Amino acid sequence: MSTVKKVAKNSLIIFAGEIIVRVITFFITLILIRYLGSGDFGRYSVVYAFLSFFQIFVGTAIDPIILRELSRDSQKGRELIGSAITLRFFFSLIGLILCWIALQWMPYPSDIKIIIYLASLWLPFSFGLLFNNIFQAKLSMKSVTMVTVMMKIFLAIFTVVFIFLKAQLFYFILINLLIYIAQIILIYYQSRKLLSISVKVDLRVWKELVKNSWPLALGIIFASIFTRIDQILLFQMKGKEELGLYAAAVKLAEYPFMVAGAFLASVSPLLFEHAITSPDIFKRIYQISLKYLMMFIIPIAVVTTVYSREIILVCYGRDFIASKAALAILIWSTVFAFGGIVQNDSLIATNLQLFSLIFAGIPAFLSLFLNLMLIPKYSLVGAAIATTVSYGINIPISYLLKRTRIFAIAVIKSMIKPFLASLLAVYSVYFLSFPHIIFNFILTLFIYLFLIFLIGEIDLKDIKYGKEILFSQS
């Protein structure tokens, strides 16, 4: 099978899996939020917001380095991943201990602390995420996708059962933990079919991994601040009810983000492969990636902004109507995040991961400052503004830096046509005031696609590539 067809097939598998997973997750979340209400969902959200500050200790900064080396040299990647497992396990234990120590100083009620203790037990098992890199580098995501879908189905079943039994929040956290552990075990056994791994402690490799990944690790700390500090501060300043309303809006705004992750799961190995050997191909890959990701997310953002009230009512009911303004603002943070993840992978591919510190550090400090200023007066709307501005600031920063200006220009260019087409499509339907929201969405989609084709953002070559992807045979 050719590389193009292999990438196409892999992309289809990932997208199909992500669609299934996101649909299941969407309905699980809707049911859970309606069951818990804004108060208990606020407690649920602060648990995972607190744990996000310990993500640096699970070693996720190592993953892009492993994937890069697996994509370029399978043998070297195999050697690295064997030592990376022990390194990540070592750091995760440190993270677990520090998490429990830090929790002693937090002014949380005892019931929330107990739940955080339970949820934090995922940390020692986080090394299992390394095995995803094997499937991704080999462009063979079928097995891991099937495992993920299967585990999500089990989670949905148990969630519904617990709701029927009127279970407390503790049990929903517990089942999340158990499903996660089961998923890691299954992915490990599947990965052994693709690559034989010898788990070992090699201090030389540890040193190499830490040396290459420390900028990304520090970037993760900053990213945790500007993506989750809003929820921590909102909980402290306004209480669990306000956080529950805000977190519900965050959930909806984050749903499209996984599409970008699924897309780059197939594209990233190609970025890493061609960054050094074929700069022109590398440039074309990230430009096309931005083009299609922005064509996907921007109309969603415009529609969500215009119909935020209706979306909240349909998804959560009138009890969450106060979330509408936050949702209308937060959805644009997802647009900026789409551009950011393409840029981040491109920086790693070209060994410029040191710049990741800038693109995570400045937003982190800005987010902390804005949240402290805006939450006391504007509550969840202030938190939404702070988060969205913090995501968006990276575009002008990227443009000001000579080495990254090319990425900023590519992001801006990829936004213009989809934004104009979305604006025209959404408002032309909105002012016609059709009575049914689903009909409005469908009509908006057709008008948007027509405009995108009319202005040349999608051409016959794109349609040809689409047919090859959909109908290519192995």
Side-chain angles (χ1 to χ4, degrees):
M1 187 189 299
S2 69
T3 301
V4 173
K5 289 187 176 181
K6 195 173 183 180
V7 170
K9 182 179 179 180
N10 196 52
S11 298
L12 274 180
I13 290 171
I14 296 171
F15 274 117
E18 281 298 329
I19 289 171
I20 296 171
V21 167
R22 298 316 294 175
V23 168
I24 296 172
T25 303
F26 178 73
F27 285 106
I28 291 175
T29 305
L30 290 188
I31 295 170
L32 188 60
I33 291 176
R34 283 177 175 266
Y35 172 73
L36 294 176
S38 59
D40 274 349
F41 188 65
R43 294 166 66 220
Y44 179 92
S45 300
V46 80
V47 168
Y48 291 106
F50 178 79
L51 290 177
S52 70
F53 289 96
F54 297 90
Q55 284 186 349
I56 183 176
F57 294 104
V58 305
T60 50
I62 297 173
D63 287 9
I65 307 301
I66 297 294
L67 177 58
R68 185 181 69 190
E69 298 306 323
L70 279 170
S71 301
R72 294 175 179 174
D73 186 342
S74 181
Q75 181 58 33
K76 183 180 180 181
R78 177 178 174 274
E79 294 174 359
L80 288 177
I81 201 169
S83 294
I85 291 172
T86 54
L87 178 61
R88 280 189 62 160
F89 183 71
F90 172 73
F91 275 122
S92 68
L93 289 179
I94 295 176
L96 182 65
I97 294 170
L98 292 178
C99 173
W100 288 359
I101 293 173
L103 191 55
Q104 302 304 311
W105 299 93
M106 297 301 294
Y108 294 155
S110 58
D111 60 334
I112 290 182
K113 287 186 176 182
I114 291 172
I115 294 173
I116 292 177
Y117 282 128
L118 173 66
S120 66
L121 294 177
W122 76 276
L123 286 167
F125 296 93
S126 61
F127 71 89
L129 296 174
L130 272 171
F131 302 121
N132 287 340
N133 294 314
I134 298 174
F135 297 97
Q136 195 170 342
K138 298 290 185 179
L139 296 177
S140 180
M141 293 292 288
K142 182 178 179 180
S143 296
V144 70
T145 300
M146 290 178 64
V147 169
T148 303
V149 170
M150 182 176 65
M151 290 296 101
K152 192 63 67 174
I153 292 172
F154 281 127
L155 180 61
I157 293 171
F158 280 109
T159 299
V160 171
V161 170
F162 285 160
I163 289 175
F164 179 77
L165 296 175
K166 297 183 179 181
Q168 296 181 349
L169 180 60
F170 176 89
Y171 294 97
F172 295 101
I173 302 293
L174 175 62
I175 194 58
N176 275 329
L177 173 65
L178 295 178
I179 290 290
Y180 174 82
I181 294 172
Q183 182 173 331
I184 292 299
I185 293 172
L186 289 173
I187 288 175
Y188 164 69
Y189 280 106
Q190 290 294 326
S191 68
R192 294 175 63 184
K193 299 176 182 178
L194 292 178
L195 190 69
S196 176
I197 301 169
S198 177
V199 178
K200 57 185 177 180
V201 176
D202 188 328
L203 296 181
R204 179 188 59 82
V205 176
W206 279 24
K207 183 179 179 180
E208 180 183 353
L209 288 171
V210 171
K211 179 182 177 181
N212 286 323
S213 64
W214 75 262
L216 299 177
L218 193 53
I220 289 172
I221 296 178
F222 292 141
S224 297
I225 293 174
F226 80 80
T227 58
R228 289 295 178 258
I229 196 64
D230 50 354
Q231 297 189 33
I232 296 293
L233 292 176
L234 194 59
F235 181 80
Q236 292 297 119
M237 295 180 182
K238 296 295 182 177
K240 62 182 182 181
E241 298 287 343
E242 289 290 291
L243 175 56
L245 293 170
Y246 180 73
V250 170
K251 284 290 184 182
L252 288 176
E254 288 181 344
Y255 277 123
F257 187 74
M258 290 304 296
V259 173
F263 182 84
L264 287 176
S266 283
V267 173
S268 293
L270 297 180
L271 284 171
F272 296 148
E273 179 182 348
H274 294 294
I276 306 301
T277 58
S278 310
D280 290 338
I281 296 176
F282 167 77
K283 181 179 178 181
R284 182 64 177 156
I285 290 171
Y286 76 71
Q287 285 178 338
I288 290 176
S289 298
L290 285 170
K291 172 183 174 180
Y292 287 109
L293 287 174
M294 289 303 167
M295 278 197 297
F296 169 79
I297 186 58
I298 287 181
I300 291 176
V302 175
V303 166
T304 302
T305 301
V306 174
Y307 293 101
S308 61
R309 183 178 185 276
E310 290 81 357
I311 292 171
I312 291 293
L313 285 174
V314 170
C315 292
Y316 301 135
R318 293 192 176 278
D319 290 344
F320 285 83
I321 196 65
S323 302
K324 65 176 184 178
L327 174 61
I329 298 167
L330 281 169
I331 191 64
W332 292 98
S333 69
T334 305
V335 174
F336 299 132
F338 267 48
I341 60 173
V342 176
Q343 177 175 291
N344 188 61
D345 273 15
S346 300
L347 290 173
I348 296 169
T350 51
N351 294 317
L352 295 175
Q353 55 262 33
L354 196 60
F355 281 89
S356 298
L357 290 179
I358 299 173
F359 298 121
I362 293 177
F365 288 108
L366 179 62
S367 177
L368 181 60
F369 172 77
L370 289 177
N371 275 293
L372 289 171
M373 293 297 102
L374 296 176
I375 288 177
K377 186 174 182 180
Y378 300 106
S379 191
L380 64 160
V381 173
I385 293 171
T387 297
T388 302
V389 171
S390 300
Y391 272 102
I393 195 66
N394 272 339
I395 294 178
I397 293 173
S398 184
Y399 185 82
L400 290 174
L401 298 173
K402 185 177 180 181
R403 296 290 296 274
T404 60
R405 186 170 298 159
I406 186 173
F407 298 125
I409 293 172
V411 172
I412 294 169
K413 284 184 176 180
S414 67
M415 288 180 171
I416 296 173
K417 289 182 179 179
F419 179 74
L420 294 176
S422 300
L423 209 60
L424 185 57
V426 170
Y427 276 98
S428 62
V429 174
Y430 181 78
F431 286 116
L432 289 175
S433 300
F434 288 106
H436 203 287
I437 188 172
I438 301 299
F439 181 80
N440 285 355
F441 288 167
I442 294 173
L443 183 58
T444 299
L445 174 63
F446 278 108
I447 294 175
Y448 171 73
L449 292 175
F450 171 76
L451 291 172
I452 283 292
F453 188 81
L454 189 66
I455 62 180
E457 192 69 354
I458 295 179
D459 53 28
L460 294 176
K461 186 182 294 186
D462 293 313
I463 295 174
K464 179 182 176 182
Y465 287 155
K467 288 181 179 179
E468 289 181 359
I469 290 174
L470 289 172
F471 301 111
S472 59
Q473 301 295 323
S474 59

